[in-house]
Amino acid sequence: MRARVPHAHADRLVIFPGTQTILFNLLAHLARPGDIVLTEALTFPGIKAAAARLGVKLIGVAMDDGGILPDALAKACRAHRPKAVYLIPTLHNPTTATLSAERRSAIAKIISDADTILIEDDAYGLLDRSASPIANLVPEGTYLATTLSKCIAPALRVAYLVTPDNAAQRDMRAGLQATVQMPAPLMVALVTHWIENGIADRIITAIRNEAVGRQQLAQRALKGIQFLAKPVAHHLWLRLPDGRPDVAAHLLRNGLAVVAGDAFTVDGTPPHAARVSLGAARNRAELTEALRILVGALHRPADTRQIV
């Protein structure tokens, strides 16, 4: 836990009431309307919303199943001279891709060579501790954001931002105070108590184990269906059948927690895919029924009805 929320760098730490507040404040601090920020070709909808509100232009960089391609990122940095690069290198949202150590090293060098700033969204990092943040390789060029809502409880609105230096920390504190004043002190005190007494680690371990169990259940239920997943992820990235634009809408009508690919697409044609949340079900029995509905929807004939 402490590796992701480094108390040794308290002079560079700012506590926010959620990742979305961090992203909005970071974009407002680092970029101006019309400036360019690079992201993965598919990215968190929250950064898209913040950029649209602030007039910042996002440009997507090519990915494969292993995450963003370093060569493509280097080329995009040379072409666009971005104000920042926003990445989700661990359990990527929506694809679950986790960058290898080699790619992390390459990206750290690209950030340094391009003289730009990395915004590293480590929302799921506490679920996969084998992946070291890129911030550890280029701390002077990275803002590292970590949240507890994905690994302890959704309603726990406490997120941490480690800044590159003391001056950046002061700037981000001023931005926080100008927008939402502060996170709820009682909630921060509770979380701090949990971290210091090991309670947070025990909760995270239990949630990680539950995520593994749900992914195993999904692997069995979706056998023969194309999707990307990681053992500790809360979601999976499902390839939808060609010629079936109705599938995602059908699943939503049946109460399934899915988000179609266009919500994550930065530019270009959205992939025919959907993010499926495995953590939304209250228990594994409910998840089993949801997966049964999902498989049935994928195998049923296309709905050719038209409204006239």
Side-chain angles (χ1 to χ4, degrees):
M1 180 73 185
R2 292 174 184 269
R4 300 284 175 171
V5 186
H7 294 268
H9 300 296
D11 58 335
R12 297 195 284 119
L13 188 67
V14 186
I15 304 177
F16 282 80
T19 300
Q20 189 64 40
T21 311
I22 290 178
L23 295 180
F24 188 88
N25 278 273
L26 272 177
L27 287 185
H29 174 61
L30 297 172
R32 296 292 178 268
D35 285 345
I36 290 174
V37 171
L38 301 180
T39 74
E40 293 107 337
L42 300 170
T43 194
F44 172 48
I47 192 73
K48 293 175 61 178
R53 182 69 176 172
L54 293 167
V56 174
K57 180 176 175 56
L58 300 183
I59 293 180
V61 178
M63 307 171 64
D64 63 11
D65 289 353
I68 194 168
L69 297 168
D71 288 347
L73 177 61
K75 182 178 179 180
C77 284
R78 290 192 297 269
H80 300 292
R81 300 182 62 84
K83 293 294 183 179
V85 176
Y86 169 81
L87 300 178
I88 312 171
T90 304
L91 300 177
H92 177 259
N93 182 11
T95 69
T96 76
T98 295
L99 293 179
S100 66
E102 292 76 16
R103 289 199 190 189
R104 290 169 191 261
S105 179
I107 287 169
K109 185 176 187 306
I110 290 166
I111 295 297
S112 295
D113 290 348
D115 193 26
T116 189
I117 292 293
L118 173 64
I119 302 171
E120 182 173 6
D121 189 340
D122 198 41
Y124 301 96
L126 289 166
L127 297 174
D128 184 0
R129 299 184 187 181
S130 66
S132 176
I134 300 173
N136 290 337
L137 300 174
V138 58
E140 72 285 354
T142 304
Y143 288 86
L144 174 65
T146 299
T147 180
L148 301 180
S149 63
K150 307 297 184 185
C151 56
I152 293 183
L156 196 59
R157 310 309 297 174
V158 177
Y160 300 87
L161 178 69
V162 181
T163 64
D165 52 44
N166 295 0
Q169 189 252 22
R170 290 192 294 272
D171 287 340
M172 294 310 299
R173 284 179 61 89
L176 173 65
Q177 291 167 358
T179 51
V180 294
Q181 292 295 316
M182 67 180 76
L186 182 60
M187 191 171 291
V188 173
L190 174 64
V191 169
T192 302
H193 172 73
W194 284 355
I195 292 172
E196 291 177 345
N197 288 277
I199 297 171
D201 278 324
R202 293 197 292 274
I203 296 173
I204 293 167
T205 297
I207 289 176
R208 187 186 301 115
N209 291 340
E210 180 63 19
V212 169
R214 292 184 179 217
Q215 285 286 353
Q216 291 172 345
L217 196 160
Q219 290 281 344
R220 293 191 296 269
L222 301 176
K223 188 175 182 179
I225 296 171
Q226 288 189 326
F227 65 93
L228 299 176
K230 288 291 187 294
V232 295
H234 285 323
H235 63 277
L236 56 85
W237 184 237
L238 180 70
R239 313 286 193 192
L240 298 178
D242 291 336
R244 294 290 309 280
D246 63 307
V247 173
H250 173 78
L251 294 174
L252 284 170
R253 287 196 299 270
N254 281 272
L256 271 64
V258 301
V259 183
D262 57 348
F264 306 97
T265 303
V266 177
D267 41 39
T269 304
H272 198 41
R275 180 190 188 274
V276 179
S277 172
L278 303 181
R282 289 171 294 183
N283 51 57
R284 295 193 196 182
E286 187 173 277
L287 178 59
T288 298
E289 174 61 16
L291 290 169
R292 185 192 65 78
I293 295 171
L294 173 61
V295 172
L298 294 174
H299 290 310
R300 74 185 181 88
D303 188 349
T304 58
R305 293 173 298 174
Q306 296 183 351
I307 299 175
V308 295

